[in-house]
Amino acid sequence: MKNALGPQGWWPVSRDAATPAQARLEIVLGAVLTQNTAWENVRRALAALYRARLVDLAALDAINEPHLAEIIRSSGTFRVKARRIKAFVRSVQREFAGSLEALLGLPLPQARAALLRIHGVGPETADAILLYAGRHATFVIDAYTRRVLVRHQLATRRDGYDDLQARFHEKVPANLDVYHEYHALIVELSKRHCRAKARCEGCPLEGFPHDPSA
Ligand code: SF4
């Protein structure tokens, strides 16, 4: 995939991030904002947050939820996402003394458990945050990954998140750079080829057994 699609260099942090800490918070916000929407909408919501000086935990804690929702309106289901962002920020403020680094610096199982306790953070969002903001080698199983695996008869639609992730971890030794790039390549592959209606011709995985109608 890498030869065909080129290096992806994810996560696509914006140029607005002034410090590594702000970049980490931007990744967290992006991971919440991207739920059920296209990345372009996320990009616009993040730009609005930067304009409002809200890529900052204390500022996000201070702003009221309806106002935050208006600012991230472009991300779709913006009221739900505002509630989730506020819940995330509250949790970091109260449980980790306002330090995202303290949360992300926990060993992987504890950090993942802490994230999963937060309202609106499911396994996919937690793993995206851990992989790209926390630099933990945990693989993200998103809808794109599942579709590619199903079409290549490596999974069924009924397989659970943890099961698919465990299988991936078993086959691909934990390596942060590899996991970063692997997930990004699956996303790119899915945008270019493995769409709702598969475009197998020219796909880098075309030579492997597959059923594009699955
Ligand atoms: S070969 Fe077809 S089914 Fe397989 S990943 Fe590419 S587009 Fe999807």
Side-chain angles (χ1 to χ4, degrees):
M1 284 195 289
K2 194 168 184 174
N3 286 343
L5 304 172
Q8 302 298 305
W10 263 36
W11 183 277
V13 175
S14 74
R15 291 198 184 138
D16 293 319
T19 63
Q22 196 169 37
R24 280 192 286 279
L25 179 56
E26 182 190 312
I27 291 169
V28 170
L29 295 170
V32 173
L33 292 169
T34 198
Q35 295 167 347
N36 303 314
T37 198
W39 186 254
E40 186 48 37
N41 298 330
V42 177
R43 206 187 299 278
R44 284 163 46 213
L46 285 171
L49 287 169
Y50 272 109
R51 279 196 301 277
R53 298 182 188 281
L54 281 171
V55 186
D56 176 272
L57 278 172
L60 284 169
D61 199 25
I63 192 171
N64 69 50
E65 198 176 297
H67 189 184
L68 176 61
E70 278 308 311
I71 290 169
I72 61 168
R73 183 177 268 272
S74 71
S75 67
T77 59
F78 52 96
R79 291 189 188 88
V80 170
K81 290 176 181 176
R83 193 170 318 130
R84 290 177 178 178
I85 289 170
K86 290 292 283 183
F88 187 94
V89 170
R90 249 191 326 271
S91 172
V92 174
Q93 297 289 57
R94 291 182 189 158
E95 290 180 41
F96 298 93
S99 170
L100 181 56
E101 285 63 38
L103 191 174
L104 297 176
L106 290 171
L108 175 57
Q110 286 94 318
R112 193 168 191 268
L115 285 170
L116 290 174
R117 281 197 298 274
I118 300 173
H119 166 76
V121 177
E124 182 185 331
T125 302
D127 287 326
I129 291 170
L130 290 165
L131 179 60
Y132 291 103
R135 302 185 63 75
H136 288 283
T138 183
F139 200 73
V140 181
I141 305 293
D142 63 355
Y144 290 140
T145 306
R146 187 179 288 274
R147 184 156 67 194
V148 171
L149 291 175
V150 168
R151 285 177 172 171
H152 283 262
Q153 289 102 40
L154 296 170
T156 72
R157 293 195 182 281
R158 288 185 304 280
D159 292 341
Y161 187 101
D162 291 344
D163 181 25
L164 290 180
Q165 188 187 53
R167 276 191 253 164
F168 188 93
H169 286 170
E170 193 185 306
K171 298 278 184 209
V172 184
N175 178 298
L176 192 60
D177 292 337
V178 171
Y179 280 21
H180 274 177
E181 200 63 4
Y182 210 136
H183 174 61
L185 284 164
I186 288 174
V187 172
E188 188 61 24
L189 176 94
S190 300
K191 287 181 180 166
R192 291 200 208 175
H193 295 282
C194 209
R195 303 155 72 114
K197 185 168 169 38
R199 298 176 177 173
C200 298
E201 198 179 330
C203 174
L205 302 188
E206 193 184 2
F208 296 94
H210 60 281
D211 174 4
S213 65

